[in-house]
Amino acid sequence: MPFLGQDWRSPGWSWIKTEDGWKRCESCNPELGRESSQCSLSHDVMLNSEDEEIFNNEECEYASKKRKKDHFRNDTNTQSFYREKWIYVHKESTKERHGYCTLGEAFNRLDFSSAIQDIRRFTYVVKLLQLIAKSQLTSLSGVAQKNYFNILDKIVQKVLCDHQNPRLIKNLLQDLSSTLCTLIRGVGKSVLVGNINIWICRLETVLNWQQQLQNLQMTKVNDGLTLSDLPLHTLSNILHRFSDGWDVVTLGQVTPTLYVLSEDRQLWKKLCQYHFAEKQFCRHLILSEKGHVEWKLMYFTLQKYYPTKEQYGDTLHFCRHCSILFWKDSGHPCTAADPDSCFTPVSPQHFIDLFKF
């Protein structure tokens, strides 16, 4: 892990830890180094020729660092690049590590741009973006906010292209637009990072995305087998694999056969038993005129009062031994004797809670 700034090893230089010990980092780009040397030389000639104040070393070094930073951030449509796909979650300062790990820093470091291309992680990232939109948008830094909207743009374009999970994105954009309206109109620019006009443009972009998704038309494919050609027991098994009641309702609107299967009482009973406890059933028991339990109506009633279980193909993990947050497939340099016993899956809400100090 590199140490930047005033460090006891050599003030002002960047250091990185290697197998042979600590070594000083050279310039990341030879062209930047040559540009820096030429610029400093031209300043010396200009200042000496006009008998002005000497351009001191600190100002030269600051200008060089600023040019390097601008070089790596000149592409505003890409997420900031980091080699590691994990991050330390530390909540205290030490002698060599100043400051705290913030939500924006974690959002930049965990490579969400690549995660949305993985179908196992897509729902997880969307849920995380939705939670940030509801309550944590103002806690992101300027760079993190830029990355947030760049990733959101990629998600919207992906949904418009492959027509998958449009309902999830519509809910996300609805929450985001409500938050932006509240911040811009009600709260004002005192809590917003950046110019107020930038946030107005972002709100217009979100409204444009909502309109595009509203006009989205599913393309009909006539080649090969369709869902209607499958036998009834196969269609029933497909419906029983869903964990979201709204997905069952949506699929039931495709054909009359699927509608009949989607109204199965046993299907809705299993959904209620999966998401809610038996005590919750007793508080909101709904019976029909014949004395039967209306499981479908109970599911949507209970959903208003209690949170449903979240199910994801892949999640971020937290190592209790190393205090590192990482994607399980990417891994991290764990020093524990039994690393698997130290790993804990992190839900989107738990991810937000890790950075509430």
Side-chain angles (χ1 to χ4, degrees):
M1 180 175 79
F3 287 89
L4 304 178
Q6 299 295 330
D7 185 60
W8 57 269
R9 297 176 182 84
S10 181
W13 292 101
S14 302
W15 292 78
I16 188 170
K17 189 175 183 180
T18 65
E19 295 179 354
D20 300 329
W22 289 90
K23 291 186 178 181
R24 195 174 69 192
C25 294
E26 300 297 335
S27 177
C28 299
N29 193 329
E31 295 181 0
L32 289 176
R34 289 194 296 270
E35 178 186 350
S36 176
S37 61
Q38 292 174 1
C39 182
S40 60
L41 179 61
S42 63
H43 275 294
D44 291 340
V45 173
M46 179 186 67
L47 295 175
N48 291 333
S49 61
E50 297 180 3
D51 295 330
E52 296 182 358
E53 295 181 0
I54 299 176
F55 197 78
N56 57 54
N57 294 332
E58 292 183 358
E59 293 175 344
C60 285
E61 187 176 349
Y62 173 79
S64 176
K65 289 182 178 179
K66 189 175 186 304
R67 282 192 297 274
K68 292 178 182 179
K69 185 181 296 185
D70 293 340
H71 174 79
F72 288 112
R73 294 183 180 178
N74 59 356
D75 187 0
T76 58
N77 294 324
T78 58
Q79 186 181 14
S80 302
F81 173 77
Y82 294 93
R83 182 187 303 175
E84 299 88 359
K85 300 299 185 293
W86 46 266
I87 185 172
Y88 286 102
V89 183
H90 52 86
K91 299 183 179 182
E92 59 182 7
S93 296
T94 63
K95 182 178 180 181
E96 297 180 355
R97 185 178 62 195
H98 297 282
Y100 301 86
C101 179
T102 63
L103 175 63
E105 184 181 356
F107 187 81
N108 292 341
R109 291 283 297 274
L110 291 173
D111 194 26
F112 289 111
S113 293
S114 300
I116 62 175
Q117 305 301 328
D118 190 337
I119 191 173
R120 300 172 303 166
R121 300 176 181 177
F122 182 84
T123 308
Y124 183 89
V125 176
V126 171
K127 181 64 176 179
L128 179 58
L129 294 181
Q130 188 173 12
L131 291 177
I132 293 177
K134 287 182 178 180
S135 60
Q136 301 297 321
L137 195 60
T138 56
S139 65
L140 299 180
S141 64
V143 175
Q145 289 173 2
K146 181 189 71 174
N147 288 340
Y148 179 93
F149 283 94
N150 287 338
I151 293 172
L152 188 56
D153 183 26
K154 294 179 180 179
I155 290 176
V156 173
Q157 299 307 320
K158 183 177 184 298
V159 172
L160 292 175
C161 180
D162 59 22
H163 298 173
Q164 295 182 8
N165 300 306
R167 181 172 57 83
L168 294 177
I169 310 306
K170 288 180 181 179
N171 294 338
L172 166 59
L173 294 180
Q174 180 62 38
D175 292 335
L176 180 58
S177 61
S178 300
T179 301
L180 290 178
C181 289
T182 303
L183 293 176
I184 293 173
R185 297 175 184 176
V187 181
K189 58 186 179 181
S190 59
V191 298
L192 299 176
V193 177
N195 192 292
I196 188 68
N197 294 323
I198 296 177
W199 288 94
I200 295 176
C201 291
R202 287 172 174 171
L203 177 58
E204 293 175 351
T205 302
V206 172
L207 296 177
N208 184 35
W209 286 338
Q210 287 181 302
Q211 187 63 40
Q212 293 180 26
L213 291 173
Q214 192 68 28
N215 299 331
L216 180 63
Q217 296 292 332
M218 299 297 179
T219 56
K220 185 176 181 180
V221 181
N222 297 323
D223 299 334
L225 289 174
T226 63
L227 195 62
S228 303
D229 298 325
L230 297 176
L232 292 179
H233 70 276
T234 303
L235 295 175
S236 178
N237 286 334
I238 293 175
L239 286 169
H240 278 77
R241 295 296 185 273
F242 289 170
S243 61
D244 191 339
W246 285 110
D247 291 336
V248 176
V249 173
T250 303
L251 186 58
Q253 297 173 350
V254 177
T255 63
T257 302
L258 287 171
Y259 175 77
V260 174
L261 294 175
S262 66
E263 294 293 321
D264 182 24
R265 294 182 65 255
Q266 292 299 320
L267 171 63
W268 290 102
K269 180 180 180 180
K270 289 182 178 180
L271 280 175
C272 289
Q273 292 175 342
Y274 174 75
H275 288 286
F276 309 107
E278 186 175 352
K279 293 182 179 179
Q280 297 169 346
F281 296 159
C282 299
R283 296 175 184 175
H284 305 277
L285 190 62
I286 301 176
L287 300 176
S288 65
E289 295 179 356
K290 297 180 179 181
H292 300 301
V293 179
E294 295 286 352
W295 291 106
K296 181 179 179 180
L297 188 57
M298 277 190 58
Y299 173 84
F300 291 106
T301 302
L302 292 169
Q303 195 178 39
K304 297 178 182 179
Y305 296 98
Y306 309 104
T308 57
K309 288 185 179 180
E310 298 178 357
Q311 190 176 36
Y312 306 102
D314 190 13
T315 66
L316 287 170
H317 283 66
F318 181 72
C319 180
R320 299 186 301 273
H321 178 77
C322 305
S323 297
I324 288 180
L325 192 64
F326 64 99
W327 291 105
K328 189 174 182 180
D329 293 345
S330 303
H332 76 286
C334 185
T335 58
D338 185 10
D340 293 339
S341 63
C342 303
F343 297 168
T344 303
V346 178
S347 66
Q349 185 59 55
H350 186 198
F351 179 91
I352 300 294
D353 295 338
L354 283 174
F355 304 97
K356 289 183 179 180
F357 304 138

